[in-house]
């Protein structure tokens, strides 16, 4: 059974000067108990999509259901059973950790005690600071508190809007481990992120760009769909190298990737031809090695087409 | 019910943890009641007077001493040149010039009439008007005095004379503080009701907590009641502090019953809270809410009869005051505190404010959306 079914969902923001199609005919399904990632750069429409699914925003077209309830008609039912953690920390800064948690438990008509098991793993880490005001917590602790508050009513579906943006690498890793444990408890999780490397941690992902979903599937299937050869190229003059790669007829696309440049090869050209071309262009020391495409490569290619 | 109870608990916690709100609650009433009644006193004293005396006669001197003895005027200069006196006005050392012409005494004695010249600096219209009327009445008095000295008044005056003696009811000494303080109490209650309410809700919008509330099953009316009830209580609390200070500093004890004041204030706060709520539904930032509330508050206060009587306003402005809730509260406060009006006397006021409360709150609730 699907936990979230999105069908042709659209949202348009109209101002006097222009209309912005924030979300355009987006469709996807999320299965129960799945950890589903929506990956896309800033402005891709991730937040608008989440706000529609959490009944904060009315869609302009299409439909969607969350746990079988329609997001327009049955919004009251949805509010009972989803948890939402917005990208920006939005708990009461002048209430303490404990008071925030109690407050959100109460307005969902439950108590912290009744659902303690679900937040225990996360909450024990901030429990020593439970008398501290939320505004005085560090970034990582704020995030844990926000997650605890979003979980306290035992939601069926959890929406996390860019939870790892602006969080350090260690905390990000920790956060994803927490998500995995939550998944084991049977909660369906939708998470949006601008970080491509986090895609591999999801069961399935949807790549989103300019309001449209470019591709959706398991990270492996998306990578499998990528059928060009990718060569990692490095030389002394990296900037010149990128320009030469872009200028060459044999590459479909090329972009910098860590300490290498990635060159997406056209099918009819080979590694040798590239080597010859680059040496000719004044890169005698050029180092070329074949590499496995990852989500980022797929994303770059999908954006091109 | 449990939800509302928790919303209220949260709201009160936040209010008491916010030093700015606490300051508003305790410092504003004290300062306003301490300062404003003194500033808003219409009795003009210390009018600076320059006398140009060309006559130097006995009568002239008597007139001068009568004017300066009145207590309203302060003699700035005694000169014999009008130009000099005008200079004094130009450098703002004098407000009024009285010129006593040459042969003032002679004319008065021989011709039975004499002329005087008054020049008044009218930059401050209120002061000029009052100065001129004070002076005229002092001179009239002087005139009568002179006449009684000369004419042997018969036992029964042949002239028919109407002597007007007035008595100021409800404020026998015409004490302006008695008039201003009730109005300032209204200002206080209005500030708490409108500013704090609108700012509080918009603050939740600004920091995003309102979204977090909106995704919960909290009912719209629960949320709104959770916001209004604390400020309703706070408004009545401020009124209590204000009444206490009014008694402590100015000895103002309401002639009417406190109960009547509180009944009206309770209803009035409903209207003002609705007003604050309405503004908050239109604003996205605290600045916006603050500016809009401030703008409307100024109009309400200035067109509410706090400083100037409504009867002296042009007709269109008088019509406007009918749509201004502040007008009714100021009137009721003065009626109850000074005159001792009872609930049945102010029933029309209460019903009008109830209509205000109903319209403003309904509008605000319709306008408040949990989803965009």
């Amino acid at each position: 059974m699907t936990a979230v079914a999105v069908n042709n969902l659209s949202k348009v923001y109209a101002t006097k000067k222009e209309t912005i199609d924030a979300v355009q005919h987006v469709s996807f399904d999320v299965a129960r108990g799945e950890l589903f990632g929506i990956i896309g750069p800033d402005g891709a429409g991730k937040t608008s999509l989440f706000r529609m699914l959490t009944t904060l925003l009315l869609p302009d077209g299409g439909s969607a259901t969350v746990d079988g309830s329609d997001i327009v008609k049955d919004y009251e039912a949805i509010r009972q059973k989803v948890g939402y953690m917005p990208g920006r920390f939005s708990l009461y800064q002048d209430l303490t950790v404990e008071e925030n948690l109690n407050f959100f438990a109460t307005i969902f008509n439950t108590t912290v005690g009744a659902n303690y098991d679900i937040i225990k793993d996360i909450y024990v880490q901030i429990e020593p600071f439970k008398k501290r005001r939320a505004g005085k917590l560090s970034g990582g602790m704020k995030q844990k508190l926000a997650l605890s508050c979003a979980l306290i009513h035992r939601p069926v579906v959890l929406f996390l809007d860019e939870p790892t943006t602006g969080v350090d690498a260690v905390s990000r890793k920790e956060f994803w481990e927490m998500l995995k444990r939550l998944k084991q408890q049977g909660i369906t999780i939708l998470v949006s992120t601008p970080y491509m490397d986090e895609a591999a941690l999801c069961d399935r992902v949807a790549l989103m760009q300019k309001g449209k979903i470019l591709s959706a599937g398991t990270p492996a299937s998306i990578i499998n769909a990528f059928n060009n050869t990718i060569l990692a190229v490095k030389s002394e003059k990296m900037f010149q190298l990128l320009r030469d790669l872009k200028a060459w007829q044999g590459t479909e696309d090329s972009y910098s990737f860590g300490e290498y440049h990635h060159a997406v090869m056209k099918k009819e050209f080979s590694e040798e031809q590239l080597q010859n071309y680059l040496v000719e262009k004044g890169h005698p020391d050029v180092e070329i090695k074949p590499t496995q495409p990852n989500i980022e490569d797929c994303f770059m290619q999908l954006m091109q087409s | 019910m449990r939800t509302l109870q928790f919303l209220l608990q949260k709201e009160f916690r936040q209010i008491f943890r916010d030093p700015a709100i606490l300051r508003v609650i305790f410092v504003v009433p004290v300062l306003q009641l301490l300062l404003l009644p003194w500033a808003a006193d219409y009795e003009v004293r210390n009018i600076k007077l320059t006398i140009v005396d060309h006559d130097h006669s006995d009568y002239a001197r008597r007139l001068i001493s009568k004017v300066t003895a009145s207590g309203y005027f302060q003699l700035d200069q005694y000169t014999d040149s009008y130009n000099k006196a005008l200079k004094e006005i130009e450098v703002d050392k004098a407000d009024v010039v009285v010129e006593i012409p040459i042969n003032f005494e002679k004319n008065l004695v021989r011709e039975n009439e004499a002329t005087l010249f008054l020049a008044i600096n009218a930059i401050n219209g209120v002061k000029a008007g009052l100065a001129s009327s004070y002076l005229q009445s002092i001179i009239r008095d002087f005139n009568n005095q002179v006449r009684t000295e000369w004419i042997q008044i018969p036992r029964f005056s042949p002239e028919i004379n109407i002597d007007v003696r007035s008595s100021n009811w409800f404020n026998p000494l015409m004490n302006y503080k008695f008039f201003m303080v009730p109005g300032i109490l209204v200002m206080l209650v209005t500030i708490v009701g409108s500013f704090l309410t609108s700012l509080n809700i918009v603050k939740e919008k600004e920091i995003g907590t309102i979204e977090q509330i909106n995704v919960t099953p909290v009912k719209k009316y629960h949320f709104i009641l959770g916001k209004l009830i604390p400020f309703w209580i706070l408004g009545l609390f401020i009124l209590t502090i204000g009444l206490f200070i009014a008694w402590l500093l100015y000895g103002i004890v309401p002639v009417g019953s406190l109960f009547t004041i509180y009944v009206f204030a309770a209803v009035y706060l409903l209207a003002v809270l609705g007003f604050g709520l309405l503004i908050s539904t239109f604003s996205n930032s605290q600045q916006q809410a603050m500016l809009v509330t401030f703008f409307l508050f100024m109009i309400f206060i200035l067109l509410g009869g706090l400083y100037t009587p409504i009867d002296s306003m042009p007709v269109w402005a008088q019509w406007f005051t009918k749509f201004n809730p502040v007008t009714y509260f100021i009137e009721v406060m003065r009626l109850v505190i000074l005159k001792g009006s009872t609930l049945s006397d102010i029933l029309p006021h209460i019903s009008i404010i109830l209509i205000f409360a109903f319209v403003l709150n309904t509008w605000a609730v319709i306008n408040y959306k949990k989803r965009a």
Side-chain angles (χ1 to χ4, degrees):
Chain A
M1 189 183 164
T2 52
V4 179
V6 180
N7 192 6
N8 254 328
L9 205 61
S10 299
K11 180 71 199 176
V12 180
Y13 295 113
T15 58
K16 270 175 200 150
K17 283 181 204 144
E18 52 180 346
T19 54
I20 298 159
D21 295 299
V23 177
Q24 305 176 42
H25 308 291
V26 162
S27 303
F28 62 88
D29 287 321
V30 181
R32 224 161 254 285
E34 207 172 16
L35 176 54
F36 191 89
I38 291 175
I39 322 270
D42 292 343
K46 304 187 297 287
T47 300
S48 296
L49 180 61
F50 272 27
R51 282 165 55 90
M52 282 192 280
L53 293 178
T54 50
T55 76
L56 285 172
L57 200 61
L58 281 168
D60 289 321
S63 63
T65 59
V66 174
D67 193 42
S69 310
D70 187 87
I71 57 163
V72 180
K73 278 207 314 279
D74 310 321
Y75 66 93
E76 283 186 326
I78 292 181
R79 285 175 186 167
Q80 293 278 4
K81 56 197 179 188
V82 303
Y84 175 48
M85 183 173 142
R88 195 163 59 121
F89 180 73
S90 47
L91 298 176
Y92 292 100
Q93 316 243 1
D94 39 8
L95 296 184
T96 65
V97 169
E98 206 177 18
E99 284 164 353
N100 264 302
L101 199 60
N102 272 323
F103 176 72
F104 282 99
T106 313
I107 56 177
F108 277 105
N109 253 320
T110 177
T111 58
V112 176
N115 295 315
Y116 190 70
D117 58 304
I118 200 162
I119 59 159
K120 188 170 170 265
D121 272 355
I122 306 157
Y123 189 61
V124 285
Q125 302 176 51
I126 48 173
E127 206 160 16
F129 312 102
K130 66 181 180 186
K131 297 277 180 218
R132 194 180 286 188
R133 290 191 192 172
K136 300 259 188 286
L137 293 174
S138 71
M141 286 199 277
K142 274 184 184 166
Q143 192 197 36
K144 280 167 195 152
L145 175 60
L147 187 59
S148 302
C149 288
L151 281 169
I152 194 61
H153 60 291
R154 206 177 278 280
V156 182
V157 183
L158 181 63
F159 290 90
L160 305 170
D161 193 6
E162 302 202 7
T164 53
T165 300
V167 174
D168 69 75
V170 178
S171 300
R172 265 170 66 186
K173 199 161 160 261
E174 231 177 75
F175 191 78
W176 278 93
E177 265 151 28
M178 285 194 281
L179 293 190
K180 270 187 195 148
R181 280 199 293 276
L182 286 174
K183 205 190 88 155
Q184 279 159 15
Q185 303 206 39
I187 297 175
T188 309
I189 303 172
L190 266 83
V191 56
S192 77
T193 174
Y195 302 122
M196 304 288 162
D197 55 321
E198 289 179 347
L201 303 166
C202 301
D203 295 333
R204 282 198 307 142
V205 293
L207 302 183
M208 203 170 173
Q209 156 87 353
K210 289 186 182 148
K212 288 184 185 133
I213 286 192
L214 305 174
S215 170
T218 60
S221 76
I222 289 179
I223 291 166
N224 282 339
F226 191 94
N227 46 21
N228 294 63
T229 318
I230 289 192
L231 297 174
V233 189
K234 193 169 131 181
S235 87
E236 282 285 293
K237 294 170 279 184
M238 287 302 274
F239 181 65
Q240 184 58 36
L241 180 65
L242 188 60
R243 283 174 55 168
D244 292 336
L245 282 172
K246 277 192 193 296
W248 194 43
Q249 53 185 356
T251 52
E252 217 157 60
D253 193 13
S254 46
Y255 39 87
S256 67
F257 197 97
E259 56 176 329
Y260 290 89
H261 289 319
H262 274 189
V264 181
M265 302 293 289
K266 284 186 182 157
K267 294 230 166 55
E268 55 281 15
F269 290 86
S270 70
E271 194 180 324
E272 257 175 61
Q273 281 169 299
L274 179 64
Q275 171 105 34
N276 295 338
Y277 165 76
L278 287 176
V279 171
E280 199 176 296
K281 277 281 172 187
H283 302 280
D285 58 329
V286 71
E287 176 198 336
I288 300 178
K289 62 173 189 188
T291 182
Q292 278 299 313
N294 64 13
I295 291 282
E296 191 166 345
D297 294 304
C298 302
F299 196 85
M300 294 300 271
Q301 190 180 44
L302 289 164
M303 276 199 331
Q304 285 274 307
S305 48
Chain B
M1 230 18 238
R2 193 164 153 259
T3 315
L4 183 60
Q5 194 188 320
F6 241 78
L7 283 167
L8 287 177
Q9 190 188 13
K10 171 217 133 206
E11 218 52 66
F12 274 113
R13 268 198 187 127
Q14 287 186 299
I15 289 170
F16 290 120
R17 279 180 197 174
D18 187 339
I21 293 188
L22 289 181
R23 244 171 265 148
V24 167
I25 294 172
F26 292 103
V27 179
V28 169
V30 177
L31 274 186
Q32 284 203 343
L33 284 170
L34 217 58
L35 298 176
L36 291 189
W38 298 94
D41 190 337
Y42 297 118
E43 221 178 34
V44 177
R45 287 191 175 269
N46 306 328
I47 301 165
K48 287 164 280 176
L49 175 76
T50 290
I51 293 195
V52 184
D53 191 356
H54 299 296
D55 197 42
H56 303 289
S57 62
D58 185 40
Y59 275 103
R61 215 158 296 130
R62 276 177 62 189
L63 176 65
I64 294 164
S65 68
K66 192 165 176 64
V67 171
T68 50
S70 69
Y72 293 104
F73 297 93
Q74 225 175 29
L75 188 62
D76 165 60
Q77 272 218 348
Y78 178 83
T79 162
D80 50 11
S81 146
Y82 179 72
N83 286 337
K84 241 188 201 168
L86 205 60
K87 259 260 145 41
E88 289 295 296
I89 285 194
E90 278 168 7
V91 298
D92 208 27
K93 280 191 174 160
D95 300 312
V96 181
V97 174
V98 178
E99 191 176 22
I100 302 169
I102 211 157
N103 295 337
F104 175 72
E105 191 181 56
K106 209 159 116 198
N107 286 343
L108 199 60
V109 176
R110 282 207 195 138
E111 320 278 336
N112 277 339
E113 75 176 36
T115 48
L116 274 174
F117 175 75
L118 305 182
I120 295 159
N121 180 0
I123 282 189
N124 183 337
V126 178
K127 205 173 180 182
L130 285 169
S132 124
S133 64
Y134 288 163
L135 260 179
Q136 279 176 18
S137 77
I138 292 169
I139 293 165
R140 202 181 313 122
D141 231 35
F142 175 72
N143 193 10
N144 279 338
Q145 229 175 0
V146 173
R147 274 169 57 193
T148 43
E149 280 171 25
W150 291 349
I151 306 167
Q152 196 65 48
I153 294 188
R155 210 183 155 82
F156 297 101
S157 169
E159 289 173 69
I160 296 164
N161 237 326
I162 298 178
D163 184 17
V164 182
R165 301 264 165 103
S166 56
S167 147
N168 301 307
W169 275 74
F170 309 120
N171 190 357
L173 298 173
M174 283 283 271
N175 187 337
Y176 270 97
K177 281 159 205 93
F178 286 15
F179 175 73
M180 286 310 297
V181 170
I184 291 166
L185 290 176
V186 172
M187 257 172 81
L188 279 173
V189 174
T190 312
I191 288 176
V192 173
S194 56
F195 279 73
L196 292 187
T197 315
S198 65
L199 286 183
N200 183 289
I201 298 173
V202 176
K203 188 178 160 201
E204 294 231 9
K205 274 193 192 178
E206 246 182 31
I207 58 174
T209 43
I210 206 162
E211 293 238 300
Q212 204 74 133
I213 296 281
N214 285 350
V215 288
T216 68
V218 165
K219 295 264 186 304
K220 192 157 130 176
Y221 72 90
H222 272 153
F223 181 74
I224 290 178
L225 280 178
K227 286 287 172 200
L228 296 190
I229 292 172
F231 292 105
W232 186 78
I233 295 174
L234 226 56
L236 292 178
F237 181 66
I238 289 230
L239 179 66
T240 312
I241 296 184
L243 284 169
F244 176 72
I245 295 173
W247 167 76
L248 196 71
L249 290 180
Y250 305 106
I252 296 173
V253 178
V255 178
S257 77
L258 280 174
F259 176 73
T260 314
I261 294 178
Y262 277 93
V263 167
F264 190 84
V267 177
Y268 174 77
L269 269 167
L270 291 182
V272 181
L273 292 170
F275 170 69
L277 184 66
L278 183 63
I279 287 177
S280 74
T281 62
F282 282 112
S283 328
N284 290 317
S285 69
Q286 295 193 63
Q287 267 131 317
Q288 272 179 20
M290 190 78 187
L291 286 173
V292 173
T293 318
F294 186 71
F295 167 71
L296 292 171
F297 177 76
M298 286 302 285
I299 293 182
F300 281 168
I301 292 293
L302 289 178
L303 282 174
L306 177 59
Y307 297 108
T308 47
I310 290 170
D311 302 312
S312 66
M313 293 176 192
V315 178
W316 60 264
Q318 289 190 25
W319 267 101
F320 178 84
T321 61
K322 293 196 196 312
F323 296 96
N324 178 358
V326 176
T327 314
Y328 297 94
F329 196 21
I330 291 178
E331 210 173 299
V332 165
M333 282 298 259
R334 286 178 181 157
L335 281 176
V336 177
I337 292 184
L338 299 179
K339 193 177 170 190
S341 295
T342 58
L343 265 185
S344 58
D345 295 322
I346 59 164
L347 210 58
H349 295 83
I350 294 185
S351 21
I352 290 170
I353 292 296
L354 271 176
I355 296 172
F356 270 115
F358 179 74
V359 171
L360 288 169
N361 282 296
T362 316
W363 188 2
V365 170
I366 292 171
N367 219 22
Y368 171 78
K369 290 186 192 74
K370 273 188 85 175
R371 47 165 38 182

